[in-house]
Amino acid sequence: MTNLIVRGGRALRGTITPSANKNAVLPVLCATLLTDQPIVLHRVPDITDVRKILEFFGKLGSSVDMDYATGTLKLRHGEGLNPKEAHLPLGMRSTLMLIPALLYRFGAASIEEDVTGCTLGVREIDPHIEVFESFGAQIDRKPEAIFIKTPKGFATTDHWLDYASVTTTENFILCAATARGRSQITNAACEPHVQEFCGFLAMMGARLEGVGGSRIIVEGVSSLSGAEFTFADDFHEVATFLAMGAMTGGDIAVKNGSVDQFPLLDRTFAKFGVEITHKDGWSRAKVDGTMRVRQPFTANILQKVEAAPWPYVPADLLPIFVALGVRAEGQCMFWNKVYEGALGWSSELGKFGAHSLLCDPHRLITFGGKPLVPAEVESPYIIRVAIALFMLAASIEGESTILNAAPIQRAHPKFVENLNALGADVSWVAGD
């Protein structure tokens, strides 16, 4: 177990440059396996999930040259890769997106163990299996693993997803990119990181139409080329640091090359009395006095934040706004329309002295503005829940401990170093 010790009550101030979005980086890494030509990627973050995938590539026999100091990765998946080493990395949802490339390379792949990622509830693999089957894959389910084969390569397909799943959409596109002809997906996810992933594939020579919408058409090509690509700023991390500045009464200027993704997020911050401004490539959060939940104009309803697939507020950011709701005076309902197990951590809020009510697996009400005290709390295996608990601890005078905070390292490189540079007093410690 890896824990965070937080000595709170310090206003965080300064400037910060966010890292790239892991939800764009990981599918792009998986996509590189579709070509045997050289790939160069810039701004690759030093996070545990990246290290797992690069270790996987090394075992396959790929050439991997990663400079974590500069964030530059040089890859080449040449000839002679070893299919016997194609065991998917564990503990990360994105590992499923290695399957299309393994099928393309070797004609076979298997799902052997845990590929669930964050503990957000039941995260089924059935939609992925349905995608593979729609492209003509043969599925053989056995006690030890699910075996997938494409002895004739990928056929074309017209597929309609049950729901707009990010990783399922990306898996469809990965299969379609080298299928023999024209494929179409309906109810596709359109998150910014999906669009960034599609931009990388287009640089490799993939032929895509409708990116950013709910229907994407892919014209398969016989082969994909190499590419050089630079990842964009992660809007999740931008929003997270802005929230930290507001929570602690500080002033953090965050470099933001993704301002076009912020109109709804800006309005969501405003529900808690936080004004977001964007100027000259930098974003700031300002609080005029005490944070307060803005009263709706409609009588007899609670202020609410609804999280759902893009272009809603992202479910990944809902814990950040829950933390703001605990701090801001007033009541607010939070509604996670994606995952049924993503709000169970709310019991940890009470250890800080916060008042909240879990209505059902999808909805939580905070009664904010209550006096808070330092505490020892435990994070589930959910990245931004660990960060939300940190945010609350950082806003409270005294020493708090966030147990099992290691999920942060899956998405945020140099997390502690960046925070301490902003005036925080936080450190990693090994737990039992």
Side-chain angles (χ1 to χ4, degrees):
M1 182 181 292
T2 303
N3 308 326
L4 273 179
I5 303 298
V6 186
R7 300 164 190 88
R10 294 164 170 79
L12 303 187
R13 303 180 184 277
T15 60
I16 195 79
T17 298
S19 61
N21 186 344
K22 91 170 179 70
N23 292 328
V25 173
L26 300 180
V28 163
L29 288 178
C30 296
T32 65
L33 197 53
L34 288 173
T35 181
D36 59 6
Q37 297 302 303
I39 297 284
V40 180
L41 302 175
H42 300 286
R43 298 193 70 203
V44 177
D46 184 4
I47 55 178
T48 54
D49 285 10
V50 165
R51 286 183 176 267
K52 285 182 180 180
I53 289 185
L54 296 187
E55 181 182 2
F56 171 80
F57 287 159
K59 289 179 178 178
L60 280 182
S62 302
S63 172
V64 181
D65 181 5
M66 178 69 220
D67 185 342
Y68 285 109
T70 64
T72 299
L73 170 63
K74 298 178 182 179
L75 270 177
R76 186 158 191 179
H77 308 290
E79 300 296 328
L81 299 186
N82 184 3
K84 294 182 179 180
E85 294 294 338
H87 302 288
L88 300 182
L90 303 181
M92 48 193 286
R93 188 69 172 172
S94 56
T95 196
L96 288 168
M97 290 180 289
L98 287 165
I99 292 175
L102 294 176
L103 294 174
Y104 173 72
R105 285 273 185 165
F106 308 131
S110 62
I111 304 173
E112 299 171 11
E113 296 184 63
D114 170 33
V115 292
T116 55
C118 288
T119 53
L120 295 164
V122 178
R123 304 187 73 182
E124 56 186 348
I125 65 170
D126 294 63
H128 298 273
I129 299 297
E130 291 169 0
V131 163
F132 301 143
E133 286 183 317
S134 73
F135 281 102
Q138 301 171 4
I139 310 298
D140 186 9
R141 182 173 186 170
K142 295 185 177 180
E144 67 274 19
I146 298 171
F147 297 93
I148 308 166
K149 294 182 180 180
T150 50
K152 298 180 180 179
F154 294 122
T156 57
T157 188
D158 187 339
H159 192 67
W160 196 310
L161 292 180
D162 291 357
Y163 58 94
S165 162
V166 168
T167 52
T168 312
T169 297
E170 291 166 337
N171 255 341
F172 180 96
I173 294 169
L174 287 167
C175 293
T178 58
R180 300 181 302 276
R182 189 179 181 90
S183 298
Q184 176 178 284
I185 182 171
T186 302
N187 201 16
C190 57
E191 275 76 359
H193 33 281
V194 176
Q195 297 178 47
E196 188 171 2
F197 159 78
C198 289
F200 171 74
L201 277 174
M203 290 184 67
M204 293 176 69
R207 299 169 64 183
L208 309 164
E209 299 175 24
V211 174
S214 62
R215 179 169 291 160
I216 298 176
I217 297 171
V218 185
E219 189 73 41
V221 296
S222 59
S223 63
L224 294 170
S225 66
E228 184 167 356
F229 185 77
T230 301
F231 290 104
D233 294 331
D234 178 8
F235 70 96
H236 297 99
E237 191 163 317
V238 173
T240 298
F241 279 110
L242 291 173
M244 288 180 186
M247 284 275 293
T248 62
D251 180 17
I252 302 176
V254 189
K255 185 178 179 296
N256 187 0
S258 306
V259 174
D260 60 326
Q261 297 161 8
F262 269 77
L264 179 57
L265 294 178
D266 292 347
R267 284 167 42 214
T268 305
F269 273 106
K271 293 180 178 182
F272 304 97
V274 180
E275 179 187 1
I276 305 297
T277 59
H278 308 285
K279 184 178 181 181
D280 299 329
W282 293 84
S283 298
R284 275 188 152 92
K286 179 183 178 182
V287 178
D288 189 7
T290 302
M291 285 197 304
R292 289 184 176 86
V293 176
R294 189 177 65 197
Q295 187 68 28
F297 286 101
T298 306
N300 303 318
I301 70 166
L302 292 174
Q303 183 62 269
K304 62 181 176 179
V305 178
E306 301 181 42
W310 191 267
Y312 274 74
V313 171
D316 283 353
L317 283 178
L318 196 62
I320 305 306
F321 290 113
V322 169
L324 289 175
V326 167
R327 262 303 182 192
E329 293 181 0
Q331 302 172 14
C332 185
M333 174 181 285
F334 299 88
W335 193 351
N336 190 322
K337 296 184 174 182
V338 181
Y339 303 115
E340 80 285 351
L343 293 170
W345 60 280
S346 59
S347 58
E348 298 300 306
L349 298 173
K351 297 177 182 179
F352 287 121
H355 291 196
S356 66
L357 172 65
L358 185 61
C359 307
D360 55 45
H362 290 274
R363 294 178 299 166
L364 172 75
I365 298 173
T366 57
F367 305 85
K370 308 298 183 183
L372 302 180
V373 296
E376 180 178 276
V377 296
E378 184 167 3
S379 173
Y381 194 73
I382 303 175
I383 294 166
R384 285 180 183 83
V385 169
I387 292 176
L389 293 172
F390 160 78
M391 285 169 51
L392 284 167
S395 72
I396 302 167
E397 284 198 27
E399 183 172 295
S400 295
T401 302
I402 316 297
L403 303 175
N404 193 31
I408 293 172
Q409 297 170 322
R410 293 186 56 217
H412 295 276
K414 298 182 180 178
F415 181 75
V416 163
E417 294 88 340
N418 287 335
L419 290 170
N420 287 336
L422 295 171
D425 187 353
V426 57
S427 54
W428 291 110
V429 295
D432 297 331

